Amino acid sequence: MVQNGVIHLDGFPTAQDPEGELRRHWRQRNPVIDGRRTAYARGLGFPSAENWTEDSALSPDAELLMTASEQRPGVIEARNDLWFDYGSNVVRYPRWQALLRSLTLPVLVIWGSRDDFFTTPGALAYLRDAPHAEVHILDTVHFATLEDPDPVAALVSAFMTEHKLQ
C-alpha cells in the first residue's frame, strides 16, 4: 500500500528540474533553504479561534500534536537533515520502479488530490510499473489517513479481502 509516497518525478514538481533550487540543495546543502524551513516550522501557530477554519478536515488535536512535535528542541534541525538527505531517495527512484515492475504483488495506491507537494500524477505513474495497481484519488491533502480515515480504512479492507491478504 502506498499513500502519497512518490517514486516518480511525475508527482514531485519541485524536484523535476535537475538544476532547480531543490535538486541543487540535495547536491550541496543550501543554508537558505534550511533557514526557510526553520522559519516556517517556528512560525506554525497552535490551533485557536483566530487561526482555525472550518475548511480544515484535520482535527484541532491532530494539528496541535503535529505543531508541538515539530517545534520540540532539535526536531526542526533533524527534519532539515532528513530533507537534505531526501535527495538520496530521488536517485533511487529508477531502482524502486524496476523492483515494482519485477513484483507480482497486488498494489494499492491511495492519494490525496489536494497534496500540493506530492501531486496526483505521482499516483498515476505507479500504473506504468504496476499496471494492475488499484489507484484511488481522494479529496484530501497529503495526510489522507488522518483527514479521511474511514474511506481509507474501507479501501484497505476491501483490497485485503479481494487479494486474500487477511
Side-chain angles (χ1 to χ4, degrees):
M1 179 185 153
V2 175
Q3 195 262 289
N4 286 59
V6 71
I7 66 167
H8 302 86
L9 285 174
D10 308 50
F12 199 170
T14 57
Q16 289 175 355
D17 181 357
E19 296 307 316
E21 179 183 63
L22 188 53
R23 297 280 287 274
R24 287 192 322 267
H25 173 66
W26 289 334
R27 287 191 299 271
Q28 180 167 346
R29 193 161 188 166
N30 182 345
V32 172
I33 290 178
D34 285 348
R36 276 197 311 251
R37 291 175 51 80
T38 298
Y40 171 79
R42 288 197 175 126
L44 290 172
F46 288 95
S48 68
E50 292 79 35
N51 68 0
W52 189 257
T53 68
E54 292 298 320
D55 294 344
S56 179
L58 291 178
S59 66
D61 56 330
E63 291 277 349
L64 176 63
L65 180 61
M66 287 189 285
T67 300
S69 297
E70 177 83 15
Q71 293 179 347
R72 289 178 309 158
V75 170
I76 295 169
E77 294 78 10
R79 288 182 57 120
N80 282 341
D81 290 344
L82 287 170
W83 185 235
F84 172 66
D85 186 59
Y86 190 89
S88 67
N89 288 351
V90 173
V91 298
R92 290 182 177 98
Y93 284 3
R95 282 190 285 175
W96 296 343
Q97 295 160 13
L99 176 63
L100 187 57
R101 285 191 299 274
S102 73
L103 298 175
T104 58
L105 300 170
V107 176
L108 173 64
V109 178
I110 297 174
W111 213 273
S113 65
R114 291 182 284 114
D115 185 340
D116 294 331
F117 201 74
F118 289 162
T119 58
T120 303
L124 302 175
Y126 275 92
L127 294 170
R128 288 198 304 263
D129 303 314
H132 300 294
E134 287 184 32
V135 177
H136 299 274
I137 311 297
L138 304 179
D139 183 25
T140 66
V141 294
H142 182 76
F143 299 106
T145 53
L146 285 175
E147 189 175 348
D148 214 358
D150 293 337
V152 172
L155 288 168
V156 171
S157 180
F159 181 83
M160 292 180 68
T161 300
E162 177 184 341
H163 295 284
K164 298 174 180 47
L165 299 173
Q166 295 182 356

